[in-house]
Amino acid sequence: MSWKDNVYFVLVETKESGNIGAASRAIKNMGFTKLVLINPADLTDEAYCMAWRSKDIIEKAEIYSNLDFALKDKSLVTGTTRRRGSKRGAIVDIKEGVKRIYDVAQNNKVAILFGREDKGLFNEEVERCGYLMTIPTSNAQPSLNLSQAVLLTAYELMRCEELKDYHIERQFYVDQSELNKLYERLYQVLKKIGYISENRDIENRLINNFRHFFGRTGLTFWELKLLHGLCTHIEESLTQNHQYKIDLEKIL
């Protein structure tokens, strides 16, 4: 099995059927095969026409109504964006971003999200990404067509194998379903120790920071076990201290 089989190009609510076909052709041009569609437009003849000699990519595409279903078994989730801003988390150049994808994809599934033609990825979708990648363009026309963005991303990723001059430490990483359990555990522990305020916006921002922090590099199973063990130790310490205070009150 090739590492390329672990790379999933995820198109979120694509509105133009032709863009799905063109993206399919772009994926196959660079030797990739996995296409995922989230609430896509109807696949018309235009899609198959634009997917010249790449109809098999469309026919084998995974189609979901919900992004969560598509990401649950992925160890790393990245996205593409033109827009910048503090709420969009870590943003890196495409050449740097694909290096991490190439590394993780050796043994783990990776999802690359591409947003809507007119609005891109929504904030809640950006929050699912460990980091975002951007493709430098001219200020005179900064917006790329969806299939162009897919092609350039696939190209840069393919080139990683040709240009590699570093040792890859092969690791297995936990998927999004396990990471979500960890985020919930961390949230509950931080709430118990009083670190989290009653401000819901701050709570959400903290959890999103965890998503970006751990999602940027992925977590190994050993690291996941270590963090859960830390949470358990904190919870046990809190219980013991509470019991100690109760016993002390009885004595006094």
Side-chain angles (χ1 to χ4, degrees):
M1 178 177 173
S2 168
W3 65 272
K4 290 183 176 180
D5 293 326
N6 281 330
V7 180
Y8 292 74
F9 292 81
V10 183
L11 309 188
V12 180
E13 295 189 346
T14 306
K15 297 180 180 299
E16 299 294 334
S17 183
N19 279 334
I20 296 175
S24 300
R25 180 174 180 177
I27 291 169
K28 193 169 184 179
N29 281 151
M30 302 303 153
F32 296 95
T33 61
K34 299 298 177 62
L35 176 66
V36 179
L37 305 174
I38 310 298
N39 290 326
D42 292 335
L43 294 172
T44 64
D45 290 341
E46 183 184 12
Y48 291 95
C49 180
M50 296 297 290
W52 187 71
R53 298 184 68 179
S54 305
K55 294 179 181 179
D56 56 314
I57 301 297
I58 296 180
E59 292 169 350
K60 293 187 296 184
E62 299 177 18
I63 302 177
Y64 299 96
S65 60
N66 188 298
L67 183 60
D68 289 339
F69 296 142
L71 300 184
K72 64 181 180 179
D73 62 342
K74 307 302 185 294
S75 297
L76 176 66
V77 179
T78 68
T80 55
T81 186
R82 177 180 63 83
R83 292 180 288 141
R84 296 177 179 271
S86 59
K87 291 185 178 181
R88 298 186 78 77
I91 301 177
V92 300
D93 183 272
I94 188 72
K95 287 183 178 293
E96 292 302 314
V98 295
K99 290 179 182 178
R100 183 59 186 165
I101 294 173
Y102 176 64
D103 184 353
V104 176
Q106 302 301 314
N107 287 299
N108 308 273
K109 293 181 179 180
V110 177
I112 309 175
L113 308 189
F114 297 85
R116 303 155 187 82
E117 293 95 330
D118 55 346
K119 297 180 180 178
L121 293 171
F122 293 157
N123 286 339
E124 57 266 28
E125 293 153 356
V126 168
E127 290 168 0
R128 302 301 307 274
C129 301
Y131 62 90
L132 296 174
M133 300 181 291
T134 187
I135 301 171
T137 54
S138 168
N139 289 332
Q141 174 53 295
S143 182
L144 290 169
N145 172 268
L146 173 61
S147 61
Q148 290 175 327
V150 172
L151 178 63
L152 289 171
T153 303
Y155 170 76
E156 293 292 351
L157 187 52
M158 177 195 70
R159 292 282 287 167
C160 285
E161 188 167 54
E162 297 178 12
L163 301 176
K164 66 179 180 181
D165 56 1
Y166 56 91
H167 172 70
I168 294 178
E169 182 181 357
R170 298 180 183 273
Q171 296 275 13
F172 290 93
Y173 298 92
V174 299
D175 58 31
Q176 295 298 302
S177 61
E178 291 298 328
L179 285 176
N180 287 333
K181 293 176 186 176
L182 175 64
Y183 300 145
E184 178 60 27
R185 183 95 186 274
L186 287 170
Y187 172 79
Q188 295 299 334
V189 169
L190 292 176
K191 198 168 184 179
K192 287 179 181 178
I193 65 175
Y195 184 80
I196 292 180
S197 70
E198 296 301 320
N199 187 314
R200 191 59 189 173
D201 289 338
I202 295 177
E203 291 180 6
N204 291 335
R205 197 179 312 161
L206 180 64
I207 296 302
N208 288 337
N209 285 338
F210 276 129
R211 288 184 184 278
H212 294 149
F213 179 68
F214 295 126
R216 223 176 349 249
T217 57
L219 280 181
T220 64
F221 289 96
W222 184 86
E223 291 166 338
L224 180 73
K225 184 177 179 180
L226 175 67
L227 288 169
H228 274 299
L230 178 61
C231 289
T232 299
H233 181 73
I234 293 173
E235 289 171 334
E236 289 175 348
S237 296
L238 289 172
T239 301
Q240 290 172 0
N241 289 338
H242 177 67
Q243 185 63 46
Y244 174 74
K245 289 180 180 178
I246 293 176
D247 292 342
L248 203 60
E249 289 173 357
K250 289 179 179 179
I251 295 173
L252 297 176

